[in-house]
């Protein structure tokens, strides 16, 4: 049943990079299926649908356009070692006129779907720490729901001013994340835990996994879990409020604060996104902010883009793509700040 | 405070926890089925007229930057609440949204199933954590936790 095999490529100087590798037969089947889907929708949909006056696109053309854009986002994201969700939301909010709440709900959905697909091999190999997962999932999912509810509340009660403040906060956050990628990319592959505090000891988060690259079992401890709890609350709130995947924040919390090995941190964060974003997505669904015609091509596109990105990863210079994505994030962040200032009447 | 020494050992591969494997398998297959259903639904949206929301109207209003309430009012006549798609399964939108909702149930089902494995493994504290997470996810999915229109 092993359709998809995930490999984590992690180095000390880069953010966790997760790639999906399909074996030959499945890869060609997926390619043929995707191609068939394009052709089917392109031919039948274009003929059946009326042209939309404001965009000049039929629903089928809209579907294909966002599929292609999302494939590009997924490819670039995996090459740069980040999740697609962290680029999707700011880029769409900054450069399309689509309502912010719809984009954030869709952003959460695509981040969640990608994370759930990616989780399986990490758990099967014991790389994701299930104890750590459920321990962190409590504050993360609770605050992610709170963030999603806050997003809906702001939209309903504060109107344009609320949207402007959300864009200002998201734009600033995206610029900060981009700066973190530039200046604080350091990670520790195997952090040495000298002392474990009493709280963490009592919770018992220690585990072991088989490290393929060194052919050995890695037994590891984590520490400062109380601080991790607080930080996961903040990360969850941001994820739910802004519709971002939160791997960019979770990996450093797990690796640098709680001192989990880098591979464990990357794998656990991927699984955690699936759980936390599930909690946050439902308030968006209940409010009718998810429209399948927009959400489905974005979801398929990001997942297909991740697979394609993993395939071409060995042939491109990762450094260039990394700076490309940092550039995209800076531009999206500045655009969001500019939009918010314009909405508030400052420019 | 406890001092930790020695990280590596040449023991045989540790068995991955059953609870994690169950969660991973269930979530993976549920989300995959949800994706397939949603793709079928979108194919119907694009190829038939049996839709709840007028697709051209949706795109016009989506691209005009209208909020979800305005889009629903103009393109479907009403802004439905909660699990609206369950009553519209004869339409492409209803099927596509059912697929999306099913995919969003993946983690909910996965966490509940993994609780039983945690109980079997006598991981009592983590049963409690997983139970709290499962309650949060279920309450969210049932619409018990939600903001009003």
């Amino acid at each position: 049943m092993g359709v998809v095999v995930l490999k984590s490529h992690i180095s000390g100087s880069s953010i966790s990079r997760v790639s999906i590798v399909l074996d030959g037969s499945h890869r060609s089947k997926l390619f043929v299926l995707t191609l068939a889907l394009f052709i089917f929708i392109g031919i039948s949909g274009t003929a059946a649908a009326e042209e939309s006056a404001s965009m000049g696109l039929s629903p089928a053309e809209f579907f294909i356009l966002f599929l292609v854009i999302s494939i590009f986002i997924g490819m670039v994201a995996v090459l740069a070692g980040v999740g697609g969700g962290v680029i999707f939301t700011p880029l769409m909010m900054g450069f399309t006129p689509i309502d912010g709440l719809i984009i954030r709900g869709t952003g959460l959905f695509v981040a969640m779907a990608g994370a759930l697909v990616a989780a399986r091999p990490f758990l099967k190999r014991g790389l994701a720490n299930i104890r750590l997962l459920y321990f962190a999932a409590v504050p993360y999912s609770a605050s992610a729901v709170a963030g999603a509810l806050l997003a809906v509340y702001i939209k309903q009660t504060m109107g344009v001013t609320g949207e402007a403040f959300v864009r200002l906060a998201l734009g600033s956050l995206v610029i900060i994340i981009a700066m973190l990628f530039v200046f604080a990319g350091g990670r520790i592959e195997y952090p040495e835990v000298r002392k474990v505090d009493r709280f963490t000891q009592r919770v018992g988060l220690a585990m072991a996994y088989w490290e393929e690259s060194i052919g050995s079992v890695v037994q590891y401890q984590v520490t400062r879990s109380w601080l991790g709890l607080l930080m996961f609350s903040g990360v969850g709130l941001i994820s739910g409020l802004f519709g971002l995947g939160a791997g960019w924040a979770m990996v450093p919390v797990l690796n640098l604060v709680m001192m989990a090995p880098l591979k464990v941190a990357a794998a656990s964060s991927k699984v955690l996104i699936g759980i936390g974003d599930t909690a946050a997505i439902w308030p968006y669904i209940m409010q009718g902010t998810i429209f399948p015609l927009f959400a489905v091509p974005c979801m398929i596109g990001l997942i297909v883009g991740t697979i394609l990105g993993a395939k071409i990863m060995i042939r491109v210079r990762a450094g260039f793509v990394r700076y490309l994505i940092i550039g995209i994030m800076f531009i999206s962040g500045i655009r969001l700040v500019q939009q918010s200032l314009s909405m508030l009447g400052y420019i | 405070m406890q001092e930790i020494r020695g990280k590596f050992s040449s023991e045989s591969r540790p068995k991955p926890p059953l609870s994690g494997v169950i969660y991973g398998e269930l979530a993976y297959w549920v989300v995959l089925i949800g994706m397939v259903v949603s793709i079928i639904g979108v194919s119907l949206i694009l190829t038939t007229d049996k839709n709840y929301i007028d697709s051209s109207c949706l795109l016009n209003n989506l691209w005009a930057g209208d909020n979800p309430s305005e889009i629903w009012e103009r393109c479907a006549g009403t802004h439905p609440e909660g699990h609206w798609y369950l009553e519209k399964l004869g339409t492409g939108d209803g099927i596509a949204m059912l697929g999306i909702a099913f995919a969003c149930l993946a983690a909910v089902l996965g966490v509940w199933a993994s609780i039983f494995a945690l109980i079997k493994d006598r991981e009592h504290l983590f049963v409690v954590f997983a139970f709290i997470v499962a309650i949060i996810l279920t309450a969210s999915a049932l619409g018990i936790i939600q903001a009003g229109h």
Side-chain angles (χ1 to χ4, degrees), chain A residues 52 134 156 216 219 279 287-288, chain B residues 7 9 60 72 83 114 140 147-148:
Chain A
S52 153
Y134 283 131
Q156 287 173 348
S216 171
Q219 291 171 327
Q287 290 300 312
Chain B
K7 288 183 293 195
S9 72
N60 281 332
W72 279 109
H83 301 279
S114 82
S140 183

Side-chain angles (χ1 to χ4, degrees), chain A residues 186-304:
Chain A
R187 300 284 182 272
I188 311 166
E189 203 159 354
Y190 300 107
E192 194 170 349
V193 180
R194 293 190 177 277
K195 285 172 182 174
V196 179
D197 61 274
R198 194 175 287 176
F199 177 70
T200 310
Q201 224 173 319
R202 289 189 78 168
V203 175
L205 299 171
M207 280 197 85
Y209 73 95
W210 177 260
E211 176 54 68
E212 208 69 62
S213 62
I214 52 172
S216 171
V217 175
V218 177
Q219 291 171 327
Y220 61 92
Q221 278 277 8
V222 294
T223 187
R224 295 197 288 256
S225 53
W226 56 273
L227 188 57
L229 275 182
L230 291 176
M231 290 184 150
F232 277 114
S233 303
V235 174
L237 192 75
I238 289 168
S239 179
L241 177 59
F242 297 124
L244 297 172
W248 57 271
M250 275 196 275
V251 175
V253 171
L254 289 166
N255 181 233
L256 300 178
V257 177
M258 296 178 73
M259 310 296 271
L262 188 53
K263 276 192 180 177
V264 173
S268 300
S269 85
K270 201 73 183 168
V271 184
L272 255 177
I273 290 171
I275 298 175
D277 287 3
T278 295
I281 191 72
W282 287 101
Y284 285 95
I285 290 178
M286 294 293 170
Q287 290 300 312
T289 65
I290 308 278
F291 293 99
L293 196 52
F294 178 52
V296 172
C298 296
M299 169 197 71
I300 304 169
L302 274 192
I303 291 175
V304 171

Side-chain angles (χ1 to χ4, degrees), chain B residues 31-47:
Chain B
V31 83
L32 221 61
I33 293 167
M35 282 179 189
V36 171
V37 173
S38 68
I39 291 169
I40 292 169
V42 169
S43 303
L44 291 174
I45 293 174
L46 297 174
T47 54

Side-chain angles (χ1 to χ4, degrees), chain A residues 83-105:
Chain A
V86 75
I87 307 163
F88 177 86
T89 305
L91 203 62
M92 290 288 172
M93 278 182 74
F95 296 99
T96 70
I98 299 171
D99 181 76
L101 197 64
I102 296 172
I103 292 174
R104 282 179 273 147

Side-chain angles (χ1 to χ4, degrees), chain A residues 101 108 142-157 237 240-241 279-284 286-287, chain B residues 140 143-148:
Chain A
L101 197 64
L108 264 182
S143 55
V145 175
L149 293 174
L150 186 61
V152 175
Y153 178 79
I154 289 170
K155 185 78 184 174
Q156 287 173 348
T157 58
L237 192 75
L241 177 59
I281 191 72
W282 287 101
Y284 285 95
M286 294 293 170
Q287 290 300 312
Chain B
S140 183
I144 296 168
I145 305 173
Q146 70 158 313

Side-chain angles (χ1 to χ4, degrees), chain A residues 101-148:
Chain A
L101 197 64
I102 296 172
I103 292 174
R104 282 179 273 147
T106 307
L108 264 182
F109 172 64
V110 297
M112 180 210 72
L116 286 169
V117 170
R120 182 185 178 218
F122 291 145
L123 290 159
K124 216 171 180 175
R125 286 167 54 197
L127 205 53
N129 181 335
I130 195 77
R131 293 176 182 164
L132 193 54
L133 279 175
Y134 283 131
F135 175 76
V138 175
Y140 181 64
S141 51
S143 55
V145 175

